[in-house]
Amino acid sequence: MVHNKKSWRSKLSNYIALFLPGIFLLGLNIGTGSVTAMANAGAVYGMSLLWTIVASCLTTYFMINLYGKYTLVTGETALQAFKNHIHPGVGIFFIIALTVGVCGSVMGVMGIVADICYEWSKSVITGGISPIYFALFFISLVYYIFWNGKTQFFERALAVIVAIMSASFLINFFIMMPPPIAILKGLIPNVPETINEGGSPLLVIASLIGTTVFSGLFIIRTTLVEEAGWTVGDLKKQKNDARFSATLMFLISGSIMAAAAGTLYKEGIQLSEASQMIELLEPLAGGLASSIFAIGIIAAGVSSQFPNILMLPWLICDYNESERDMSLPKYRIIVFLISLLGLVVPIFNGRPVFVMILSQALNAIILPLTVLGIFYLVNRKDLMGVYKAGIKSNIILTVILIFAIFTSITGIKGVIELIK
């Protein structure tokens, strides 16, 4: 009996392990920025932009699968390929651009998580608990898990947090879901008319795409595939993992949009921050729904911090083609300093506007370059051999490239408007 119990646990553990790289990407992809973008779109335009999430998740699936396939075939990560087969400067550019984006994300994410916890704590303690203490707690938690140093440990810890996040948003979907007909109509591509102070629908579409189709996902994907020890014989396993990750991205993102569409959109209430959802949802959907949504946002924020703090050390290791030993003092110092950026917003009671605007601009520029990079690599016969991209893959990549350029131009225009 004991043996059977252990065998069952072992089989379950092995099954979950098949999807750990995908769960890691999900944690990176669904953060407070994604929650804000999806909730804002749902509040302003209802479910009419659901098709954008479908297109974004399909694009993300294709790209993470293609980048992963490149590593399976060649044994090289993305940065190694850029450095060895394009130009070392390309690899350095990606390191700088992604690091700036990550630093802005660490500040913004922890600021929102701490603020949500502070607002939540007011219902328990008069005056609430200072956001600084919440920020310190979550920064310490993430850094403690990082201290263990092994990717598998990160992934398993992240799997638990992502499970909490997923369950929270999916439960909320059933509590606050809009009419099914509205969901079905949202799958038909269209650009709604501009709503007063709701932001340009094109800019909203760009923000939805930008938070889902993230260059860092594709580059880190190659690192995770290499770390998992997968080879060209694991092509099917890699594809299933990519499909699992993209499917969950769609379900969670769609659930967040639906929660806002089913409540705020009906009341004509708009929002600009994820934290506003908590106080706005309570009178519309009840305390239980707002609490579940709060748990989801906190889990989303914490789950995105794991990949965020690891981004720079992993990129450095990839570029130098060195072992990813996160227990080395230099990497622990780098991660510690990046983690401390999470205190900026709670301490100074503000937003790192300049850094976040700069990171948005860099993310907008980097996406087409990420597509062009893999476009070039997978079409090289000397690198891919029989796995060289075919006509179908090249057509899809061309469409994605046009998609990325459109998103970039729209996103850059939006950043310029913010600066003005």
Side-chain angles (χ1 to χ4, degrees):
M1 188 74 176
V2 175
H3 175 73
N4 289 337
K5 192 174 183 181
K6 286 183 178 179
S7 177
W8 179 82
R9 285 180 178 177
S10 177
K11 287 180 180 178
L12 179 62
S13 179
N14 290 336
Y15 180 75
I16 293 173
L18 293 175
F19 300 103
L20 287 178
I23 290 171
F24 196 94
L25 290 184
L26 188 65
L28 173 60
N29 185 262
I30 307 291
T32 53
S34 295
V35 174
T36 302
M38 303 301 166
N40 178 61
V44 178
Y45 296 110
M47 297 301 292
S48 61
L49 293 179
L50 182 62
W51 65 271
T52 306
I53 299 178
V54 175
S56 298
C57 289
L58 287 173
T59 301
T60 298
Y61 162 71
F62 182 81
M63 290 295 290
I64 59 178
N65 184 50
L66 195 61
Y67 264 90
K69 182 178 179 180
Y70 176 83
T71 298
L72 292 179
V73 174
T74 66
E76 290 181 321
T77 63
L79 283 188
Q80 291 167 12
F82 294 153
K83 181 180 76 170
N84 297 333
H85 307 300
I86 301 178
H87 191 279
V90 176
I92 293 171
F93 168 78
F94 275 100
I95 292 175
I96 294 171
L98 289 174
T99 300
V100 171
V102 160
C103 289
S105 179
V106 168
M107 285 188 272
V109 166
M110 196 50 65
I112 291 174
V113 168
D115 187 49
I116 288 172
C117 291
Y118 165 64
E119 292 296 329
W120 215 8
S121 68
K122 287 181 181 178
S123 62
V124 181
I125 299 173
T126 304
I129 300 171
S130 172
I132 295 174
Y133 295 116
F134 285 112
L136 281 170
F137 170 75
F138 287 116
I139 287 170
S140 300
L141 173 65
V142 173
Y143 192 74
Y144 166 76
I145 294 173
F146 158 78
W147 192 266
N148 285 271
K150 292 186 178 179
T151 305
Q152 191 178 56
F153 184 80
F154 302 146
E155 290 174 336
R156 291 183 186 279
L158 193 60
V160 174
I161 299 172
V162 167
I164 294 171
M165 172 184 71
S166 304
S168 299
F169 288 136
L170 291 174
I171 289 171
N172 252 38
F173 168 75
F174 291 106
I175 294 176
M176 301 183 288
M177 67 179 287
I181 189 66
I183 297 174
L184 293 175
K185 284 183 178 179
L187 295 172
I188 302 171
N190 75 99
V191 178
E193 294 181 7
T194 302
I195 295 178
N196 292 335
E197 299 181 5
S200 161
L202 291 178
L203 189 57
V204 174
I205 289 171
S207 70
L208 292 177
I209 295 169
T211 57
T212 307
V213 189
F214 173 48
S215 297
L217 280 179
F218 316 138
I219 291 172
I220 287 297
R221 174 64 175 185
T222 62
T223 301
L224 293 169
V225 166
E226 186 185 59
E227 192 89 14
W230 292 348
T231 65
V232 72
D234 296 305
L235 281 169
K236 185 177 180 181
K237 183 189 295 183
Q238 196 269 150
K239 181 178 282 190
N240 287 337
D241 178 74
R243 188 179 292 119
F244 168 80
S245 181
T247 301
L248 266 186
M249 283 178 195
F250 169 72
L251 291 174
I252 294 171
S253 299
S255 296
I256 297 167
M257 179 182 281
T263 51
L264 306 183
Y265 178 67
K266 288 197 302 185
E267 299 293 326
I269 301 172
Q270 298 173 12
L271 75 162
S272 58
E273 298 179 9
S275 54
Q276 288 178 283
M277 283 286 285
I278 308 307
E279 56 182 293
L280 292 174
L281 281 180
E282 188 159 0
L284 296 174
L288 176 63
S290 63
S291 294
I292 293 173
F293 198 85
I295 293 171
I297 296 178
I298 293 167
V302 175
S303 69
S304 67
Q305 289 300 78
F306 282 91
N308 279 339
I309 64 171
L310 283 171
M311 183 80 76
L312 180 55
W314 276 14
L315 293 177
I316 291 172
C317 290
D318 279 356
Y319 187 82
N320 293 329
E321 300 186 40
S322 58
E323 184 184 355
R324 279 181 289 278
D325 184 0
M326 294 296 104
S327 64
L328 293 177
K330 60 181 179 180
Y331 296 135
R332 286 181 168 175
I333 291 171
I334 289 173
V335 170
F336 179 71
L337 293 175
I338 292 175
S339 298
L340 287 180
L341 292 174
L343 294 173
V344 170
V345 175
I347 289 177
F348 297 102
N349 195 30
R351 286 176 170 270
V353 178
F354 177 75
V355 176
M356 295 187 82
I357 288 176
L358 180 60
S359 68
Q360 288 174 24
L362 283 171
N363 283 336
I365 294 168
I366 199 175
L367 183 56
L369 294 177
T370 311
V371 179
L372 281 170
I374 197 66
F375 210 141
Y376 170 74
L377 293 170
V378 297
N379 277 287
R380 282 188 53 166
K381 180 77 172 177
D382 59 324
L383 295 175
M384 298 297 290
V386 296
Y387 297 101
K388 178 180 174 290
I391 295 175
K392 181 180 176 182
S393 292
N394 282 319
I395 291 173
I396 295 173
L397 275 171
T398 302
V399 172
I400 291 174
L401 180 59
I402 295 169
F403 192 52
I405 292 171
F406 158 75
T407 304
S408 296
I409 293 172
T410 308
I412 291 170
K413 283 181 179 177
V415 169
I416 292 171
E417 287 175 10
L418 285 174
I419 294 174
K420 288 179 179 180

